[in-house]
Structure formats: structure tokens, C-alpha cells
Amino acid sequence: MIVRARRVVLPDGERPAAVHATGGRITAVTGFDDVADGDVTGDDVTTLADDEVLLPGLVDSHVHVNEPGRTEWEGFASATRAAAAGGITTVVDMPLNSIPPTTTLDGLATKRAVAAGQVSVDVAFWGGAVPGNTGELRPMLDAGVVGFKCFLLDSGVPEFPPLDDAGLRAVLTELAAVDGLLIAHCEDEATIDAAPDPEGRSYAGFLASRPPAAEETAIARLLAAAADTGARVHVVHLADAGALPLLRRARADGVRVTVETCPHYLTFAADEVPDGDTAYKCCPPIREAAHREALWQALADGDVDLVVSDHSPCTPELKRLDVGDFGLAWGGIAGLQVTLSAVWTGARARGLPLGRVVELMSAAPAALAGLPTKGGIAVGKDADLVAFAPDATATVGVLEHRNPVTPYAGRELTGVVRRVWLHGEPLDGGAPRGRLLDRGGSARVTG
């Protein structure tokens, strides 16, 4: 299989190239014209249109699939179809919102058994760190999870309780011994408890109920525990730009911390959210435009390491669009399929190049999740490729997500995914061909 384009985003820059693959892996990256004469017209050679750029498949390390147990919210079949449609060829499933959660070996086995045969793209799994399961962490790492997710406040579901400071340090001590990774939802419960209640249709009221200090206090707790234990930590879905100085100082002091943000924090701003439109509710919340612009600058400067969807859907009923009450609605943004276009729309407007977007959305999430065969167009990596038209526009309409509620509905975005290859084969809507991955990228089950 050969795919060639006048613009190919490679780890060392963008140039014309031909990408050769055999057995699902990239075997060579040559010049655009470095293709045997007999191959140029063959069925196994694809030449992209002049307005298309060849990208590596994206890696989304923050997806709530919710199956089993809450499959009516989302599921492996629908989530991975949406990912494929958006140019995402690898997702890493979060350990909560499914029943059982992925907090034990049995829970992991259940998750894998349900996913097998359903997935249109490759899927890896996070484990969960909750009170009382420290003894499960090393066995789950040995069984292939890429790391562990924890909450520092109520997660919203009873089967995934938060860690207090003692529990956090116990988990980090256990993981430091094997260089395991902990990723953390950082909001502080006491700070939120002291804030106003988020009742009613007012978005300003909801925003006030989860102030920036809640993120900063919890991040400071995580950083202190990481400094004391030497463990690797990662801050998920940063919305508060005020936390960036804390993170810079911690890194300067040698704390091993990375941080992500999400398309909704880079696209929307609090003063643009209509009262009563609970499709915009997420936690931490979409903040003011000043936070959005500071997060964009942090991406340009390297202070934020990656961009992932935090796709966290639910049923329309749980979003309480009938009453528009931000206090009652489930908090989570559905946006997996539009992640690339949403980020590219904002990046282009701010002069951030496509190569940097690919680094943030492919190479960096692959590195975070320990998936070395993902995240770039290079010899030895999986032949996961995307034909992307960066100047084309489209209005967000019907999506592959199980439920249609999304704040992106009706929004015009720049950048259209036209074709996707997984393991060197085009994704054409046929039978699911995704694999279930262990940490390290090896396939445990062929779907």
C-alpha cells in the first residue's frame, strides 16, 4: 500500500512524500515521485488531491465510552465510528461511567470482552484509582492498562469515588515504584462547596459554582504529592489558565507533570453560552474568553502538552434540555467526531501551524499513553493515516455519536476529514477492524 501527497505532515516537518506500508506498518517514507512506474496506476497506490494533506491518525487519550452499564449514553460501536469519521484512529477509554468501572482486573476483563469485535479503530484502556484498590494497580498495569485515572472530588457516579490526600499519596507511592502514570481530575471539593449552588438556567451562575480556585487548589495538591513521591502525574482537561504558573514552577522544580486541554475550552467562551443551553455544561466549566486565549498561547509555548476531546456524552434526558437547569444537567461535552476540525479552526485563526496541531493531537497523546507505534508517519509505526482538507469547511450536522446533543451543532468548522486508513487499509464503513491494545501498543484482541 502506498499513499502519497504533495503535503505530508512528518515528525520533522511537512513535505511531499510517499508513505509505503506492508502488513499494517509503515515500511518506508520516500519522495513523492519515488514510486515504481508500474505502481503509480496500481490499485494499491493512492495520490491525494491537491487540496488534501496526509496526516497520521490522531490519538484521543480521553474518551468516555460508557459501555457496559451505560451504553445508552454511548458505546464502543458508536464511539469508534465517530472517532474514525473525525480522523481519530486510536482512542483510550476512561475507566468510569461504565458499570463495572475499570478499577479491578475483573472490570478490565469485562470491558475488553464487551469491546471485542465492536471497535472501528484501535482502543486502549485506562484503569481507575479509587479508595481501597491500591493492590489492584500493579496487576492491572501488568494486564495492559496504560495508567490510572483518579478524581480529587466527587466524580458524579457512586461507583467511582474520589481519592483524599492520603489515598492520593498511597496511589502515587505505589505507582512511583513501577513508573506508572496517574492522571487526575483536578477540582477541589471544599472550594466548590463554599461557592454558590449552580441552580437554574443562568450560565453565569453555573460558572460561579466552580471557580478557578477549585482547579488551582486541586492541582497544587496533586503537584505537592507528586513532588513528595517522585511519581508521574498528568492534569486532565485544564480550563483555568490561572493554573499555568503553578505547572511551570512545578516543572522547573523537577516534578514530572504533563497537562492537557480540550477543544471546548479552546472554542467556546462563557459569555457566548446561552442561558439554559445545558449542552455546554462540563466540569470544569467553559470559562471566559481570557482563559481560552491564554490556553491557546500555552499550546504555542509548550506549557500545555496535548489536546484531547474529553468526550463525555449522555442521553438527552440527562442533559435536562427540557428545563435548561445547569444544576440538574449531566456535565459533559460530546464532541469526539469534530475534535480535529474544531481545534484546527481555532489554530488556523491564531496562526498555529497544522504540524503543531498534529503534534498536540497525535504524537503527544500517543506518548502519554505509552503507545509507541502510534502518533506519527515514520517507519515502524502503524499505517494509520488521514486525508485532511484543511481549507474546506462544513457545518456540523448529524454525527456518529449515539446521542445528538452537542454544543457544536450547526457550527461551521474549517477542515474536513475525507479518508482514513487503519493499519494500511481504508476505513470504508465495513465490519469493525479495530484492535484492543495493551500498554506498549501490542494487540491483545483482534476485533
Side-chain angles (χ1 to χ4, degrees), residues 166-202:
L168 174 63
R169 287 169 185 267
V171 166
L172 289 177
T173 298
E174 183 74 6
L175 292 179
V178 290
D179 201 33
L181 173 66
L182 184 73
I183 70 174
H185 181 126
C186 292
E187 289 182 284
D188 181 68
E189 191 124 39
T191 304
I192 290 173
D193 286 346
D197 290 334
E199 297 175 345
R201 296 173 55 85
S202 167

Side-chain angles (χ1 to χ4, degrees), residues 375-430:
I377 298 175
V379 172
K381 290 189 181 291
D382 290 345
D384 300 342
L385 305 169
V386 177
F388 182 64
D391 300 323
T393 59
T395 300
V396 178
V398 178
L399 300 173
E400 294 287 346
H401 307 158
R402 183 178 295 276
N403 293 295
V405 179
T406 177
Y408 295 100
R411 193 176 187 94
E412 185 177 82
L413 299 176
T414 301
V416 174
V417 172
R418 290 188 176 156
R419 280 177 287 182
V420 179
W421 292 260
L422 181 71
H423 318 146
E425 298 288 339
L427 286 178
D428 53 9

Side-chain angles (χ1 to χ4, degrees), residues 198-207 275-276 324 326:
E199 297 175 345
R201 296 173 55 85
S202 167
Y203 186 76
F206 170 62
L207 185 62
D275 284 347
F326 282 96

